[in-house]
Amino acid sequence: MAATTRTGFVWHEIYMWHDTSGYAGLFEANEHIQPYRHYEAPEAKRRIRNLLEVSGVLEQLVPILAVQPTDADLLRVHTGAYLDKVKALDGKHGVLDGETKVALASVKIARLSAGGAMAAVAAVAEGRVQNASALTRPP
């Protein structure tokens, strides 16, 4: 009998609520660029999740819930200056860098996205699953 591979899966609808509107690809819409959609729009990831459901694959995956990361967790991969810049945009509309638009809830959603990746890694490291996929955004 073949061994069963247990694959973990991180997903939360709130990840899809990160708003990147007002862009056309990487460029902010303006009087010369028609608004369309940012390349990191939610439709593609939501479609992947829905295809997993209708194909029956989703029921074979082990759900993994995101954790809420601390600043210390985030400082393992980001500088303090970057974290401060992100925190300053919490609850506001703005642009973090040349391709990252931030809406009112984006900072909270981004923290939960990071917490999803952390939870996936922890589930594998602790042996609860053999591998995992975190379908999160912002990436």
Side-chain angles (χ1 to χ4, degrees):
M1 178 181 266
T4 302
T5 300
R6 290 178 46 87
T7 298
F9 184 64
V10 177
W11 163 266
H12 197 293
E13 176 62 24
I14 197 85
Y15 295 144
M16 302 306 108
W17 297 5
H18 166 58
D19 181 12
T20 54
S21 62
Y23 268 77
L26 289 177
F27 303 101
E28 191 165 13
N30 59 42
E31 69 276 10
H32 303 289
I33 298 175
Q34 177 183 354
Y36 182 57
R37 83 178 68 119
H38 191 277
Y39 70 91
E40 210 288 304
E43 292 83 8
K45 288 185 178 176
R46 187 179 279 125
R47 183 164 190 252
I48 291 169
R49 189 261 176 219
N50 291 341
L51 288 171
L52 289 171
E53 181 179 2
V54 299
S55 68
V57 172
L58 187 61
E59 63 193 42
Q60 298 173 40
L61 303 176
V62 178
I64 298 172
L65 299 176
V67 298
Q68 193 59 243
T70 65
D71 284 356
D73 292 328
L74 298 174
L75 288 169
R76 291 178 182 170
V77 294
H78 295 295
T79 65
Y82 182 79
L83 190 55
D84 289 343
K85 185 176 180 180
V86 171
K87 285 180 173 183
L89 290 170
D90 192 14
K92 300 175 184 169
H93 289 277
V95 178
L96 185 59
D97 59 37
E99 61 183 77
T100 308
K101 187 166 179 158
V102 176
L104 297 177
S106 292
V107 172
K108 289 177 180 62
I109 295 169
R111 286 186 82 103
L112 192 62
S113 178
M118 290 171 50
V121 170
V124 173
E126 294 164 4
R128 290 184 279 135
V129 295
Q130 291 172 306
N131 53 59
S133 177
L135 191 56
T136 63
R137 57 183 303 276

